[in-house]
Amino acid sequence: MSPSLRLAGAPLPLVGRARAYVCGITPYDTTHLGHASTFVWADVAARVLRRVGIEVISCRNVTDVDDVLDAAAERAGARFDSFAAVGQFRFDHDMAALGVRPPTHEPRAHNHVDGVVALASALLERGAAYERNGAVLFRAVAPSVELVGDETSSEAPWPEADDPADALVWRPAAAGEAAWPSPWGDGRPGWHAECAAMALTVLGSAIDLHIGGADLRHPHHTTQAAMVEAVTGVAPFARARLHVGTVRVDGEKMAKSAGNLLLVGELLETHPAAAVRLLLLDRPWAQPWDVTAGALDDAAARLERLYAAAARQPGGNGPAAEAVLARLLDDLDVPGALDLAETEGGEAARTTLAVLGLA
């Protein structure tokens, strides 16, 4: 039988290969624990699938055409692309320290603007978008019932949109902004459209896993998927979704605007990288959670117990190791796998540490 990962109770049968799109960073600031959580979980999903013989083709984009990034670059007196490159370097350094393997593909938005222009033209041809004074807008798709009220990844409504929820595929550039040519005049791509174009170009008309933070679920991921489906006629765009739970501090989402960032680089100065990684993983992936005082010390202590358990029974314990993999294939049950590893020790613990990237 082919391996079957279950996510949120639904099976995801796979034969030979899995295509995963991971919503990447906007490289204008330092990596914090909330960013890291998404990418560590994406890495674990890929490691689990590879362990059972699935080739994982991953695409993690870089959003380097972005208004917030442009503003940060201007404050620093730098070009947007060079400023983004520095941010990307710092991010890559933090990911390497945390044991996150590089993706198969890492497209950068500024290299895919022509793809957004082609996407906009196709959406207009399909009647799924309309042009308004140099802007191309995608007609809003009503969200499913469970997403009503979840607007965490919204963009500001375009003033001339027919519906405030209509999403920009292309917009005119403001004075002084970096701009690219298009049939509708010089302009810039919309955020949702950037991801749609990059996913289409790199992975094709459909993917197996759509991965990102829970705050991107709607409307960013729903709009990205709807744009691709409108162009290709292939649905669903994603067979399964991995929306990683929000990291909070004192009940508030970790964010620069909240002034509550826990920076990965600073945490790595005082604790082993594997302990930081374990802190992020020792919980259900979809669950929002609060970072509490002493949590990182607790993770470091749990890690030491796992290392001690791995030293037991050097000659065997195969069935327990298989049970660990079964836990991980069942909704990426990392806490269950860790508990089993501590109890059984030996090969079960060594398998757990290897698959989770903690060894």
Side-chain angles (χ1 to χ4, degrees):
M1 293 179 63
S2 62
S4 180
L5 174 67
R6 295 182 67 85
L7 287 176
L12 180 65
L14 296 163
V15 179
R17 178 179 294 176
R19 297 152 301 165
Y21 186 88
V22 185
C23 251
I25 61 160
T26 303
Y28 70 92
D29 209 347
T30 310
T31 312
H32 61 69
L33 206 60
H35 294 142
S37 181
T38 293
F39 305 120
V40 168
W41 274 107
D43 182 64
V44 164
R47 285 172 181 263
V48 170
L49 291 175
R50 291 189 182 108
R51 183 74 178 206
V52 295
I54 298 296
E55 178 190 6
V56 179
I57 308 299
S58 58
C59 173
R60 188 181 70 206
N61 71 291
V62 179
T63 303
D64 60 0
V65 179
D66 180 87
D67 295 350
V68 175
L69 185 149
D70 282 3
E74 185 175 358
R75 288 194 298 271
R79 281 176 50 90
F80 81 93
D81 48 359
S82 58
F83 186 82
V86 172
Q88 181 69 25
F89 174 82
R90 292 171 177 162
F91 170 78
D92 289 343
H93 180 270
D94 288 339
M95 292 301 101
L98 290 175
V100 174
R101 292 171 174 169
T104 315
H105 304 281
E106 197 167 31
R108 289 163 172 75
H110 81 270
N111 291 326
H112 289 265
V113 175
D114 286 348
V116 176
V117 172
L119 175 71
S121 297
L123 289 170
L124 288 167
E125 185 178 349
R126 290 277 196 173
Y130 57 95
E131 190 269 338
R132 190 65 47 79
N133 294 326
V136 177
L137 294 118
F138 178 68
R139 299 188 188 280
V141 177
S144 55
V145 173
E146 67 270 19
L147 295 179
V148 172
D150 181 359
E151 304 292 330
T152 50
S153 56
S154 292
E155 294 183 300
W158 191 247
E160 297 179 83
D162 290 346
D163 184 315
D166 289 350
L168 279 169
V169 185
W170 188 261
R171 69 164 176 83
E177 285 187 312
W180 289 262
S182 83
W184 316 284
D186 290 354
R188 294 165 60 87
W191 175 36
H192 311 315
E194 288 175 350
C195 275
M198 286 185 278
L200 270 170
T201 301
V202 175
L203 297 176
S205 58
I207 60 175
D208 299 295
L209 265 175
H210 201 177
I211 304 174
D215 56 336
L216 299 180
R217 181 173 56 173
H218 178 72
H220 183 53
H221 282 179
T222 52
T223 304
Q224 175 191 0
M227 286 180 179
V228 174
E229 291 169 4
V231 167
T232 65
V234 176
F237 165 63
R239 297 175 60 212
R241 291 172 175 82
L242 188 71
H243 287 124
V244 178
T246 303
V247 182
R248 302 179 302 208
V249 178
D250 296 327
E252 189 173 9
K253 176 189 170 184
M254 190 175 296
K256 185 174 183 178
S257 58
N260 61 0
L261 297 183
L262 294 176
L263 302 181
V264 169
E266 293 179 357
L267 296 176
L268 293 176
E269 291 175 359
T270 58
H271 289 80
V276 178
R277 186 176 171 102
L278 183 59
L279 171 68
L280 297 171
L281 292 174
D282 196 2
R283 63 197 74 258
W285 57 266
Q287 176 181 297
W289 59 283
D290 275 83
V291 182
T292 58
L296 197 46
D297 290 334
D298 292 343
R302 168 99 141 161
L303 186 65
E304 288 303 315
R305 296 197 302 272
L306 287 164
Y307 289 156
R312 305 198 305 262
Q313 301 175 0
N317 205 20
E322 292 177 7
V324 162
L325 284 175
R327 293 282 180 92
L328 293 174
L329 285 168
D330 186 6
D331 207 21
L332 298 177
D333 181 11
V334 170
L338 291 170
D339 290 343
L340 188 60
E342 273 200 66
T343 302
E344 297 292 335
E347 188 63 27
R350 292 190 291 274
T351 297
T352 302
L353 290 168
V355 175
L356 297 182
L358 299 170

